[in-house]
Amino acid sequence: MPRPFAHRSAASVQRLALARVALALLALGGVAPCAQGQAKPPAAPAEVPLATKLKLLARDAKESADKRRLPAWEGLLALGEPGCATLRPIVEAKLARDRKALEERLKGNELAHARKKVEAALVERRAAALACIFDPKRYPDENHGAVGQAEVDRLVAAVRAAWERPAVFLRELVPEFEQLAAGLEEAVVYLEACGAPPVADLADVNEWLGSFTPRFERESLGISGSQHDWNEAVAKWLAEEMVTSADESERACMDATNDYRRMMGRPLLEIDERLVRAARKHSEEMDALHYFSHGSPVAANASFGGRCAREGYRGASGENIAGAGDGVGAFRGWYGSSGHHRNMLGGHQQFGVGRAGSYPGNLFTQNFGGGDSLRGRTVDDPQIDYLRRKKKLEVGSADAQAALAAWCKSVGLADLARLHAEAALALDPQHAKARELLGHVDGR
């Protein structure tokens, strides 16, 4: 039996095949013996038939070891259409095997083991990042912590790598997983080189692996059961019951903050309308009076705690301010500043963001608090009650608009009473109740 090829390049395969043909010819007497002991130039070896080349290369193309397989794949590609016709089913079979093997590792007991590996790495990386962020020596208050920002960025990026797509992160943790994933990427490239149509869901193998993220139940990775319950309750309340006057940009800032807290293993914060109002009013005042500070030149608004208490929230625990184009930009600015960064990850329970100005001169304020929750209770706050009523409003009904206008007038929300009376008249210009309400509000 012939020995295995020592090298797997197409050229070496051809050279060895040609050498074998020459030896066979010698054995059959195909070359005359040298006359009178003098050597003659050897006859040119016969060309190896294409079928023989395909057979030899196909054998090595099915090997599992890259050292034999990849040169054979290259050799078949070099033979053009006949080589591609031989190679394509071989690559398709390998792709199917590798894909199935990866899928098996992402379910059942294999998934449970993989999840534990990801969780252990995530916990370790979170701890390292938080230790740096909350260390005033490594991440000082001076100059917004510029000397430590690069280290913070590196450590947070390590957390993000483990958090965002756990199945992709397994490539870093488990060599066998990486080998299978790299094999998929390799197979996709060779199939396309053979002229096969793209494998739609494997155009980017990491994107395909990202589709398995829900199986890892990230929301409970590396946190206590009580924190998981808190997060679930807050998320449900935010989605179903919470009311707020926050606009799209303000809400985007709060969502970005909560997304970051969840990734870093910190409890989610409740959006509190009272803190939203306090934050917005501070931003509006800074914009109107042309200053930028936590301390207001207006004596009654001197402290953020007093501003929040005036809106009905007692127990304010922190404040961030920023100038930014939008809410996500404000979040990014605070992320890049040590004290603000620590505020966003602090031990709060509620928060609110308020904006004033217009792009690119928006001013943002973010207020935090702890313990004075609106969840599960009713407070005597007409503006919050209004938001709840507005949430249920049948906006296309003139009668419903007029009824809400009447309620607003009864609790002293004159501007809102006017707004809904005008909405009722826009729907029904002859609506007597709305016209009467509008006359009372305007003093006519």
Side-chain angles (χ1 to χ4, degrees):
M1 180 177 292
R3 297 178 58 192
F5 296 155
H7 303 283
R8 297 273 53 84
S9 70
S12 65
V13 172
Q14 186 173 7
R15 284 196 299 270
L16 189 50
L18 291 173
R20 286 176 173 163
V21 170
L23 288 172
L25 289 171
L26 283 170
L28 294 171
V31 178
C34 298
Q36 301 174 353
Q38 294 185 2
K40 287 187 177 182
E47 176 66 24
V48 177
L50 177 61
T52 302
K53 293 180 183 179
L54 292 173
K55 182 177 180 181
L56 291 172
L57 289 170
R59 181 191 66 186
D60 288 339
K62 296 175 184 177
E63 289 286 339
S64 59
D66 287 349
K67 291 173 68 175
R68 293 174 64 94
R69 176 171 49 80
L70 290 178
W73 284 16
E74 288 293 330
L76 286 169
L77 280 179
L79 293 177
E81 187 174 338
C84 287
T86 300
L87 178 59
R88 180 171 169 176
I90 294 172
V91 177
E92 288 174 339
K94 184 176 185 301
L95 183 146
R97 289 194 302 271
D98 288 349
R99 179 175 186 147
K100 184 176 180 180
L102 281 170
E103 289 172 341
E104 289 297 319
R105 287 174 176 265
L106 293 171
K107 64 183 182 182
N109 290 334
E110 290 283 347
L111 174 62
H113 293 316
R115 190 175 183 277
K116 286 181 179 179
K117 287 179 178 291
V118 171
E119 182 172 41
L122 181 61
V123 168
E124 182 179 349
R125 292 180 178 208
R126 279 174 174 167
L130 292 170
C132 181
I133 291 166
F134 283 95
D135 186 342
K137 292 182 179 179
R138 297 167 67 187
Y139 197 33
D141 290 326
E142 292 79 17
N143 196 24
H144 298 284
V147 299
Q149 190 64 48
E151 184 181 11
V152 168
D153 291 345
R154 178 181 62 80
L155 293 170
V156 170
V159 174
R160 184 172 288 107
W163 169 258
E164 286 192 338
R165 294 187 294 182
V168 177
F169 182 55
L170 281 175
R171 298 184 66 169
E172 180 179 333
L173 293 180
V174 183
E176 295 84 358
F177 197 91
E178 163 59 22
Q179 184 177 3
L180 289 169
L184 276 187
E185 291 170 335
E186 179 183 271
V188 167
V189 169
Y190 276 91
L191 278 178
E192 291 185 4
C194 286
V199 185
D201 61 339
L202 292 179
D204 185 324
V205 170
N206 281 347
E207 287 297 323
W208 176 72
L209 289 172
S211 69
F212 293 92
T213 296
R215 297 188 184 185
F216 285 79
E217 299 177 344
R218 292 184 311 170
E219 291 73 15
S220 59
L221 284 176
I223 61 174
S224 66
S226 59
Q227 183 175 322
H228 178 261
D229 291 344
W230 165 274
N231 285 350
E232 288 288 294
V234 170
K236 186 175 187 297
W237 180 75
L238 290 174
E240 299 176 4
E241 299 179 49
M242 182 272 303
V243 292
T244 181
S245 62
D247 65 21
E248 182 179 355
S249 193
E250 293 164 341
R251 185 63 189 265
C253 184
M254 290 185 281
D255 289 345
T257 302
N258 256 345
D259 288 346
Y260 182 53
R261 286 180 65 93
R262 188 193 286 274
M263 182 182 83
M264 298 300 288
R266 308 297 279 176
L268 294 182
L269 301 179
E270 299 168 349
I271 295 174
D272 192 291
E273 174 60 17
R274 298 163 298 177
L275 293 177
V276 170
R277 293 198 309 250
R280 187 183 296 127
K281 287 180 179 179
H282 186 57
S283 293
E284 290 171 346
E285 185 185 89
M286 288 192 295
D287 185 53
L289 301 182
H290 306 293
Y291 75 92
F292 186 74
S293 172
H294 296 286
S296 168
V298 178
N301 297 332
S303 69
F304 71 81
R307 296 191 291 267
C308 293
R310 186 170 294 106
E311 297 303 318
Y313 187 97
R314 303 190 182 279
S317 53
E319 182 177 80
N320 287 338
I321 58 175
D326 58 24
V328 174
F331 163 78
R332 289 173 179 161
W334 292 326
Y335 168 88
S337 174
S338 54
H340 301 90
H341 198 150
R342 284 191 273 272
N343 247 354
M344 290 197 296
L345 291 176
H348 319 293
Q349 292 183 317
Q350 292 82 37
F351 74 146
V353 170
R355 176 190 65 86
S358 58
Y359 182 84
N362 285 311
L363 292 170
F364 285 85
T365 300
Q366 185 177 49
N367 286 131
F368 300 96
D372 190 11
S373 176
L374 292 172
R375 184 158 51 96
R377 70 187 181 100
T378 302
V379 295
D380 184 15
D381 188 314
Q383 294 181 71
I384 293 176
D385 197 4
Y386 162 73
L387 291 171
R388 292 195 179 103
R389 291 170 182 265
K390 182 184 176 185
K391 192 174 183 179
K392 300 176 182 178
L393 175 67
E394 186 182 349
V395 294
S397 166
D399 288 342
Q401 292 281 4
L404 184 53
W407 179 85
C408 290
K409 178 178 177 294
S410 72
V411 296
L413 301 177
D415 289 343
L416 293 173
R418 180 181 299 105
L419 175 71
H420 289 287
E422 290 173 346
L425 288 171
L427 292 166
D428 179 4
Q430 305 305 316
H431 200 286
K433 182 65 175 177
R435 189 169 296 281
E436 179 185 356
L437 281 166
L438 192 59
H440 283 305
V441 172
D442 289 339
R444 297 197 297 263

